[in-house]
Amino acid sequence: MKKILLISCLFIGLSACEQDDTQVTDLPNPTLLFPNLDFRGENYRVSPDLSYIAFYSADPTIRESLLQLYEVATGEITVIGGQIGEGVFWADDSNQFAYVESTVRDGDDFTSRVVVYDAETQQRQNMGSLNLNAIFQIDFLPDGDGLQVIGFEGDLQANREIWRYHYGDEAWTKAAEVQGAFIDGSYQFAPDGEILHIVIALSSGFQGLYTFTIASEESGIRGATKLSHNDIWLSPDGEQMAFINQDGLRSEVWVRDLATEAETLLYVLTRSGDQSRSTLRHLTWTTEGDLVALQNDFDLQSGFVPSLLQIEIR
């Protein structure tokens, strides 16, 4: 493995990093999951226990994508309905996932409707609508108490808003606003539901890693990285952060230990020729503590062919 340890990255601006400690060894070989899948879709989202795959497929008759659920044990596919196709967010127990069913525009106003789907009972629960143009993340609150989301109302430069829905209250309430430079970040809720992790690009060329406490709306610095990434995925215990680094024709899966700041390279997709459009699109932490990467391989005959790779965390 290759590890980069960033020690004492000083900022404001993260202008200096005193040490860059690099070690290179062999990378683990990922395992191809479900090699005989006989369906084609996009935005695959595998459940943490690897029992289900939620995915979208185009339906030209309704000008939307059909959200569908594949059950690994039986091979059965359940069509949930036409949606906007942005992906789903699984609960840790793999029994439910949440998604944005639709975003409706009325003049300059937008509303986004959130739905929770139960994979076992096949029941949909409408959680109501929010006056948000877009929703970036949906998170299940601890102990099954409800949901929280982060999104924005207005233009892209608007503050990011965190809203919560408690099942007992049956209503959305605003919990916090994320302001300033953080509006251009990537977001991930911590497992306790009280902390938001944010990654933003800095003028120094680093990516700044921050935490935002929802109750107090206070932010703090957690470190920096030279690696470039657009999305982050926290481990179930909140101790590690996974991300995809794009480096020219290389796509890399990295994991960062939030306590030690050590960054470990786990997988590299090197593209050339016909495969130059192949990409790594999404990561999922499994209940066993491994990662599953969604890889889209491009083929001139078939177009994009998705596959799911399980990567062992050593």
Side-chain angles (χ1 to χ4, degrees), residues 249 271-279 296-298 300 304:
L249 291 176
R271 307 183 299 277
S272 63
D274 293 343
Q275 289 287 322
S276 62
R277 294 170 61 185
S278 299
T279 58
N296 280 351
D297 290 314
F298 183 77
L300 288 177
F304 284 103

Side-chain angles (χ1 to χ4, degrees), residues 163-183:
W163 289 77
R164 286 179 171 170
Y165 183 102
H166 293 279
Y167 291 127
D169 299 336
E170 297 185 355
W172 289 96
T173 57
K174 184 188 286 188
E177 283 197 19
V178 180
Q179 306 180 35
F182 295 134
I183 67 173

Side-chain angles (χ1 to χ4, degrees), residues 9 19 44 63 66 125 151 164 169 176 201 210 237 254 290:
C9 289
Q19 180 170 335
Y44 284 30
R63 297 184 180 180
L66 282 177
Q125 183 177 359
R164 286 179 171 170
D169 299 336
Y210 297 84
D237 59 12
W254 289 79
D290 292 333

Side-chain angles (χ1 to χ4, degrees), residues 74-108:
T74 64
E76 295 182 356
I77 294 178
T78 301
V79 178
I80 299 172
Q83 320 298 337
I84 60 174
E86 295 298 328
V88 307
F89 301 86
W90 282 97
D92 290 339
D93 63 10
S94 299
N95 292 329
Q96 296 179 315
F97 61 79
Y99 60 95
V100 179
E101 184 175 60
S102 63
T103 301
V104 179
R105 179 172 183 173
D106 182 10
D108 293 331

Side-chain angles (χ1 to χ4, degrees), residues 138-151:
I138 307 176
D139 180 53
F140 285 84
L141 292 174
D143 303 322
D145 187 38
L147 302 172
Q148 62 183 350
V149 305
I150 181 169

Side-chain angles (χ1 to χ4, degrees), residues 13-34:
L14 295 169
S15 59
C17 188
E18 295 180 358
Q19 180 170 335
D20 185 347
D21 184 16
T22 302
Q23 299 177 5
V24 179
T25 60
D26 293 334
L27 299 181
N29 292 320
T31 301
L32 176 63
L33 295 175
F34 324 122

